[in-house]
Amino acid sequence: MQSQGDIGARSLRGRLELRQRTLRALVDTGLDAAVRSARQRMWRHGSHRVRLRHGLLARAGPGEPLPPLRRISAPRSLAVQLQLMALFEAQCPGARAGEPSRRPLVDPRTMGEPSWVELVCSLASNSSGLVRGATAKQNRVRQLKHALARLADHGMIEAGVGYHRFAGFRLLDETSAEVPYSVPEINRSVTVPAEFFLNGWVHALTDNEISLYLALRLLARSPGPVEPGSNLFLAQRMRTETFGFDRATYEAHRMLMRCGLVTVTMDPLRNPGDGTLSGSRKGTTSQYHRFTLNDDTLRQQGASTVIDALTRQLAGQTLWDVLPA
């Protein structure tokens, strides 16, 4: 009889292989490069950083609903990617934040000016694990409209009615469904390097990985005795009460570490493989993992970097191999 551990290991390997195939298809078909190029054309000489309101990522207080970025997340949905891309687009040169979008959903009206479907990157896969419709525009349009509907349901955008309800949708404040969007002030925002979008990390990472990464960026902005961006930690109470993270979301730090987006100093009392205390250490007070953000990694192409990380993991690389010396 197979143990639960054997079944779980096979299931994990299958998920890793599917993700690897999906990202490779994005790269091999040229879709990843095309989307990154479209974003570059749109951004042109924009600011080096994109600003996000704290309330997009963290609860306003104890007992409040999940943060918006957690609420809109759903399996196989583009909602998180699209929401972040809409905030990116609203901060591009010449954008008119708070007004109905003049960018068409599908077919660009002006040569060189991308439509919304050209700014998001995704592939669909069926239950057999086969990637389908790698560059089919109709598939991406369908996913785009589903994501827009989800954002509208959660008060992130204002849409119209009828068949063309998303044409000219209006972006709303990340934290208030009744206020048109405006770019937040620098001292009231989390800043994300533009390379996170331009180099494709926003579509190469999973929703959980994005949520954890942005939470760490928020913590790096908080005043404290440590240098910004280093020695960050997430206590369990903060993970659940402030950010609404479950264990799977927190464990996303493993892929962020494999990709080089963060350096993790592990709790020395815990097994880096599964996070458990060894039998001889039970009853000992554990410590927090400490995180350092590595912004230089954002200069690399996100999809290719994640593919490389998955390849090494599938070949047997353990977290011990990527821990700092």
Side-chain angles (χ1 to χ4, degrees):
M1 180 179 292
Q2 294 180 335
S3 68
Q4 289 296 322
D6 291 337
I7 296 173
R10 284 215 321 272
S11 175
L12 172 61
R13 185 173 187 86
R15 292 196 302 273
L16 295 175
E17 289 174 344
L18 175 58
R19 184 178 182 186
Q20 183 189 54
R21 289 197 303 272
T22 302
L23 288 172
R24 275 183 174 160
L26 287 176
V27 173
D28 292 346
T29 59
L31 183 57
D32 171 67
V35 170
R36 288 188 288 106
S37 176
R39 294 171 186 168
Q40 289 278 2
R41 295 197 309 272
M42 188 174 71
W43 189 249
R44 291 190 287 271
H45 303 293
S47 166
H48 179 60
R49 292 177 180 265
V50 176
R51 303 177 192 176
L52 311 177
R53 283 181 171 80
H54 294 182
L56 177 68
L57 312 174
R59 283 186 169 108
E64 291 294 316
L66 282 174
L69 201 68
R70 298 298 296 157
R71 293 202 303 271
I72 65 175
S73 178
R76 295 177 294 280
S77 172
L78 290 180
V80 167
Q81 181 189 154
L82 180 59
Q83 172 64 25
L84 292 173
M85 282 306 307
L87 296 171
F88 170 89
E89 194 263 358
Q91 297 178 45
C92 286
R96 298 181 179 181
E99 295 186 8
S101 175
R102 295 177 294 172
R103 189 175 302 280
L105 291 185
V106 182
D107 297 316
R109 301 188 185 99
T110 305
M111 184 67 67
E113 190 65 23
S115 63
W116 281 107
V117 78
E118 294 174 283
L119 295 175
V120 294
C121 199
S122 70
L123 293 176
S125 60
N126 58 29
S127 58
S128 67
L130 298 175
V131 173
R132 70 174 188 271
T135 58
K137 181 182 284 189
Q138 64 268 29
N139 182 56
R140 289 163 60 201
V141 171
R142 175 183 57 82
Q143 291 181 307
L144 174 67
K145 290 182 176 178
H146 284 178
L148 286 166
R150 187 166 183 82
L151 296 185
D153 290 343
H154 286 271
M156 309 300 284
I157 64 169
E158 181 181 80
V161 295
Y163 183 78
H164 298 292
R165 61 182 297 225
F166 298 121
F169 71 87
R170 181 162 68 164
L171 184 64
L172 299 174
D173 185 295
E174 303 102 304
T175 60
S176 175
E178 307 198 358
V179 178
Y181 178 77
S182 62
V183 180
E185 297 175 7
I186 188 69
N187 61 345
R188 296 174 178 265
S189 61
V190 183
T191 60
V192 183
E195 289 83 4
F196 179 78
F197 302 88
L198 300 176
N199 290 333
W201 292 97
V202 70
H203 62 253
L205 299 178
T206 66
D207 286 2
N208 281 345
E209 290 159 4
I210 288 172
S211 291
L212 180 60
Y213 178 72
L214 294 180
L216 292 173
R217 296 208 72 89
L218 188 155
L219 292 178
R221 294 278 297 170
S222 301
V226 299
E227 179 183 350
S230 67
N231 204 29
L232 308 168
F233 67 90
L234 278 164
Q236 168 126 19
R237 185 171 180 178
M238 179 179 289
R239 297 199 299 263
T240 57
E241 294 186 6
T242 302
F243 295 108
F245 290 167
D246 54 18
R247 180 173 178 176
T249 307
Y250 182 63
E251 293 303 325
H253 73 261
R254 298 179 182 184
M255 182 52 72
L256 298 181
M257 181 170 66
R258 288 181 182 277
C259 293
L261 287 172
V262 300
T263 298
V264 182
T265 303
M266 292 282 192
D267 174 357
L269 302 179
R270 291 189 179 275
N271 182 331
D274 58 14
T276 59
L277 289 167
S278 66
S280 62
R281 291 167 173 168
K282 289 183 178 178
T284 308
T285 302
S286 63
Q287 303 173 36
Y288 299 121
H289 294 341
R290 302 280 174 162
F291 302 94
T292 302
L293 295 167
N294 301 324
D295 284 358
D296 285 348
T297 301
L298 294 173
R299 298 174 184 170
Q300 302 172 19
Q301 294 181 11
S304 298
T305 304
V306 175
I307 289 170
D308 290 344
L310 290 167
T311 301
R312 292 191 299 270
Q313 185 175 0
L314 288 166
Q317 183 192 61
T318 70
L319 287 180
W320 287 111
D321 299 322
V322 293
L323 286 172

